[in-house]
Amino acid sequence: MIQDDTIEKSVFEEIPTEKIYSEKAIRIGTFFAGPLVAGYCIAENFKAFNDFEKAKNTWIITTLSMIAIIGLIFIIPDNFPSIIFPVLYSVVASYFLKKFQEQNIQNHIQNGGQTFGGWRVTLIGLLSITVFFGIIISIVLLTENV
């Protein structure tokens, strides 16, 4: 008798009800819109996986990364290749995704769980860029007269 593993699996494992962000969406969003996208999406995935401590730690790492990046922006020379920043934080985000979420994301999808669409990540990216530039403009305006 041929046994269908997908039917057997669905009897024993619940279909996840929470949506998550796919690895591809996080990587693309991070490259084009920055580390806030990675922090938000990775933290939300941790929440969906009921790992609230790692979600909190993700925000701490994201905040420290943003402080470091903003600090570097003001001290690097003008001719510094700007592509290095997106590549660097995309590589870091990919590392954390692979190390801490890859298996959970694969299990989620294999068990019938859904992922958020690209438009949601695009919106998060636009908000991230707005916040990032808002912080930089605020710092410039506050330090201009100093």
Side-chain angles (χ1 to χ4, degrees):
M1 177 170 17
I2 299 175
Q3 192 172 11
D4 188 356
D5 288 336
T6 57
I7 294 173
E8 185 176 327
K9 187 179 225 178
S10 67
V11 171
F12 295 110
E13 294 186 31
E14 284 187 38
I15 296 175
T17 57
E18 298 280 332
K19 283 187 175 183
I20 63 167
Y21 296 93
S22 69
E23 292 177 71
K24 181 180 178 181
I26 295 171
R27 286 185 179 113
I28 291 171
T30 301
F31 182 80
F32 286 108
L36 281 178
V37 174
Y40 176 80
C41 294
I42 291 171
E44 289 300 303
N45 279 0
F46 278 131
K47 288 179 189 176
F49 302 140
N50 293 316
D51 198 340
F52 298 100
E53 185 66 26
K54 285 184 182 168
K56 183 179 96 175
N57 291 339
T58 299
W59 277 116
I60 292 168
I61 292 168
T62 301
T63 302
L64 294 174
S65 298
M66 287 297 297
I67 291 168
I69 290 168
I70 290 170
L72 285 172
I73 286 172
F74 290 102
I75 63 172
I76 60 171
D78 290 337
N79 62 349
F80 188 80
S82 58
I83 190 70
I84 289 178
F85 283 111
V87 170
L88 182 62
Y89 47 69
S90 294
V91 167
V92 171
S94 291
Y95 169 78
F96 282 113
L97 272 169
K98 186 158 191 66
K99 181 169 176 130
F100 295 107
Q101 289 191 349
E102 182 178 49
Q103 191 60 51
N104 285 340
I105 291 171
Q106 288 174 358
N107 290 343
H108 178 88
I109 293 169
Q110 287 173 353
N111 291 333
Q114 296 182 340
T115 59
F116 289 111
W119 286 110
R120 183 176 175 116
V121 177
T122 302
L123 178 60
I124 293 166
L126 291 173
L127 291 171
S128 171
I129 291 169
T130 303
V131 168
F132 184 73
F133 283 117
I135 291 170
I136 291 176
I137 289 169
S138 297
I139 291 171
V140 168
L141 291 175
L142 290 172
T143 59
E144 190 173 85
N145 295 328
V146 175

